[in-house]
Amino acid sequence: MEVEILVGILLAIQSYWDIKEQKISTCFSVVGGALGFLLSMYMGRGYLDVCMALVPGISFLAISWLSKECVGYGDGILICALGLFYTWNTLCVLLFAALLFSAGVALVLFAVFKKSGNDTIPFVPFLLLGWFVHMCI
């Protein structure tokens, strides 16, 4: 349960910064990731499991680089930090829910509010929403 509380606090604070300033604190994500790594090792997770859970975050970093930051680097770093807390399967459920929610909001903004494809929306609040979905499952 301690892991869930730490992740909830991490995502809530990062969501606030992402909404307010459209930036994510890399330092805060790295410190959170370090805590996640320490907790993972304490709980007996294997190194291979931890490395596999980093793959989604590294993929987001690659997408960020390839798309010239259409997806921010901070999102990828935060997803890497989440991978240090969670297993591959859990992180994929969380990300899938976050991507579905963000796609739904983007569709509404595009169709109803006539936003263009160049407008941005913060992604971390959707990660927080995906975390809530994970908590309910």
Side-chain angles (χ1 to χ4, degrees):
M1 191 60 174
E2 296 84 11
V3 169
E4 302 300 338
I5 292 169
L6 282 172
V7 171
I9 291 169
L10 174 68
L11 287 174
I13 291 171
Q14 293 286 43
S15 292
Y16 172 77
W17 284 334
D18 199 15
I19 291 168
K20 185 178 179 198
E21 300 176 16
Q22 293 185 336
K23 290 187 179 187
I24 298 170
S25 171
T26 304
C27 181
F28 197 69
S29 293
V30 169
V31 169
L35 283 171
F37 179 76
L38 291 174
L39 282 171
S40 291
M41 293 301 107
Y42 177 74
M43 292 168 45
R45 274 179 71 192
Y47 289 109
L48 182 60
D49 183 40
V50 172
C51 289
M52 284 299 298
L54 290 174
V55 170
I58 293 168
S59 299
F60 266 73
L61 287 169
I63 291 168
S64 179
W65 180 71
L66 290 171
S67 69
K68 296 184 173 83
E69 255 192 295
C70 286
V71 175
Y73 287 115
D75 295 321
I77 292 169
L78 181 59
I79 294 168
C80 282
L82 292 175
L84 294 170
F85 282 99
Y86 293 124
T87 63
W88 162 269
N89 294 338
T90 303
L91 186 58
C92 285
V93 168
L94 195 149
L95 280 174
F96 183 71
L99 289 168
L100 278 179
F101 287 126
S102 65
V105 167
L107 184 63
V108 169
L109 289 173
F110 181 71
V112 176
F113 296 101
K114 306 299 182 202
K115 296 287 185 177
S116 72
N118 294 331
D119 291 324
T120 61
I121 56 173
F123 184 65
V124 180
F126 297 108
L127 285 173
L128 180 61
L129 193 55
W131 175 78
F132 278 121
V133 167
H134 162 260
M135 293 293 294
C136 292
I137 293 179

